[in-house]
Amino acid sequence: MNRSFASWKAPRTIALVGKYRSVEIAESLRRLAEYLHERGVSVFIERTTSEQIGRQVDLSRWVTCGFNDIGAHADLAIVLGGDGTMLNAARRLARYCVPLVGVNQGRLGFMTDIAREDLLSCMDDLLDGRFQPENRMLLAAEVVRDGREVASNMALNDVVLDKGAIGRMIEFELFIDGEFIYNLRGDGLIVSTPTGSTAYSLSAGGPILHPTLTGIALVPLYPHALTNRPVIVNDQADIEFRITHADDPRVHFDGQVTLDLERGDSVRLRRSEHTICFLHPPGYRYFAMLRQKLHWSERPKGQ
């Protein structure tokens, strides 16, 4: 399904997706649903969201549906939660080209632009088409075992290879476009999109990539050789790591989906054919967001 931003200028159907197992969002979601209904918008409530917060507030007047129906019928989705909720929604809806608007009900919220207290005041700008679109790349990954694909998934933030629960190091070979790059012993490797560069990759010493860049960051986790440093490759690169020695290797997608690996497995990564569109409110600026979230140039207290 292909959609242009023009079709979102006056959204007629909006899906609401809430943070899982969070009753704190119940009242915010109910007020938002009522406001949108009063503005003539058809409202869908994502099924798991409805099941979990429907005990707190009455949502019976709105349609409840799963992500597939949201993808087929919604003009956009408003996500109430933190970055984790946005990551899950992005992976589920990217193939349908449904744009996302984030309302921060979590902590840092690098992907959720709207503060809870500004929720309703921002809706006029959204419904009147004043939000700005920004496309973000995703990674597509497949796990190959004995020459055949055994699993696949997408990630908006990162794909992480790690040594698992056992305290011994993992050893693997890294290939880019079929070329052998290095053999690494350590705790693992983070393969990060620009969106994910402010997540786990940042904590591991990786670079911050502006979301408009088209690079992929490879960030080693505690490598045994100090010369193994983060590198950035072109977004068209084919990336592969092959497990040569490990006791309990695993691969994680956005820190939410985990697959167990075996010695000899290969994980192959490339840029996904799908992108996800974030809709930002008027006045959004990426570096202003970083200054706020990371407390850059913050003056010491008492001065």
Side-chain angles (χ1 to χ4, degrees):
M1 180 183 298
N2 293 318
R3 306 184 186 184
S4 66
F5 181 59
S7 66
W8 309 326
K9 289 290 187 179
R12 305 313 307 158
T13 302
I14 295 179
L16 304 183
V17 180
K19 182 179 179 180
Y20 289 172
R21 296 182 296 276
S22 176
V23 298
E24 293 82 6
I25 70 163
E27 185 58 28
S28 295
L29 189 142
R30 183 194 62 79
R31 290 191 296 113
L32 177 57
E34 289 184 347
Y35 179 86
L36 294 173
H37 178 77
E38 291 171 358
R39 287 289 305 266
V41 175
S42 297
V43 176
F44 292 166
I45 309 293
E46 189 270 325
R47 179 171 292 114
T48 304
T49 302
S50 179
E51 291 171 352
Q52 293 187 351
I53 71 173
R55 306 183 188 95
Q56 310 298 319
V57 295
D58 182 12
L59 301 176
S60 59
R61 60 191 293 192
W62 294 290
V63 175
T64 297
C65 60
F67 278 105
N68 289 339
D69 287 330
I70 291 173
H73 301 291
D75 295 320
L76 61 90
I78 300 177
V79 179
L80 293 86
D83 286 347
T85 316
M86 286 285 280
L87 289 169
N88 180 62
R91 290 197 313 275
R92 303 291 293 273
L93 293 174
R95 69 185 74 250
Y96 300 105
C97 303
V98 174
L100 302 181
V101 175
V103 179
N104 188 18
Q105 304 274 338
R107 288 173 290 183
L108 282 176
F110 285 100
M111 288 178 277
T112 49
D113 301 329
I114 302 174
R116 181 186 312 186
E117 58 271 18
D118 298 328
L119 173 57
L120 296 186
S121 63
C122 286
M123 286 302 104
D124 286 342
D125 285 328
L126 175 65
L127 298 180
D128 292 340
R130 289 190 287 271
F131 272 44
Q132 298 299 313
E134 180 182 61
N135 288 324
R136 303 287 185 96
M137 64 171 286
L138 293 93
L139 294 171
E142 61 181 15
V143 178
V144 177
R145 180 173 299 154
D146 298 325
R148 63 184 182 90
E149 180 184 315
V150 296
S152 63
N153 214 317
M154 287 192 297
L156 173 60
N157 259 0
D158 49 41
V159 176
V160 179
L161 171 70
D162 77 8
K163 61 186 178 54
I166 299 176
R168 298 171 184 169
M169 288 188 290
I170 188 174
E171 187 170 345
F172 62 92
E173 297 174 332
L174 175 67
F175 296 82
I176 298 176
D177 292 330
E179 178 185 356
F180 173 76
I181 304 302
Y182 55 58
N183 184 77
L184 188 144
R185 296 179 70 232
D187 281 3
L189 180 74
I190 302 170
V191 182
S192 171
T193 67
T195 299
S197 68
T198 53
Y200 191 11
S201 173
L202 182 64
S203 299
I208 294 177
L209 304 180
H210 193 279
T212 59
L213 293 176
T214 54
I216 300 172
L218 308 178
V219 182
L221 288 171
Y222 296 102
H224 192 255
L226 296 180
T227 52
N228 287 124
R229 310 302 301 169
V231 297
I232 300 172
V233 299
N234 188 281
D235 70 315
Q236 298 303 310
D238 288 319
I239 302 166
E240 178 181 3
F241 35 86
R242 302 174 188 171
I243 312 300
T244 56
H245 183 82
D247 293 302
D248 185 29
R250 298 177 297 192
V251 62
H252 310 268
F253 303 91
D254 287 338
Q256 296 181 338
V257 179
T258 298
L259 297 174
D260 294 326
L261 300 176
E262 298 178 3
R263 186 182 303 184
D265 284 356
S266 291
V267 180
R268 298 173 181 172
L269 303 167
R270 63 184 60 86
R271 177 172 181 160
S272 172
E273 62 180 318
H274 304 293
T275 60
I276 193 71
C277 177
F278 288 169
L279 297 181
H280 299 298
Y284 169 85
R285 298 184 305 279
Y286 180 72
F287 287 110
M289 180 275 294
L290 288 184
R291 283 197 302 273
Q292 177 190 10
K293 305 296 183 181
L294 300 178
H295 303 289
W296 285 351
S297 302
E298 186 177 60
R299 293 182 177 180
K301 292 181 180 180
Q303 295 187 13

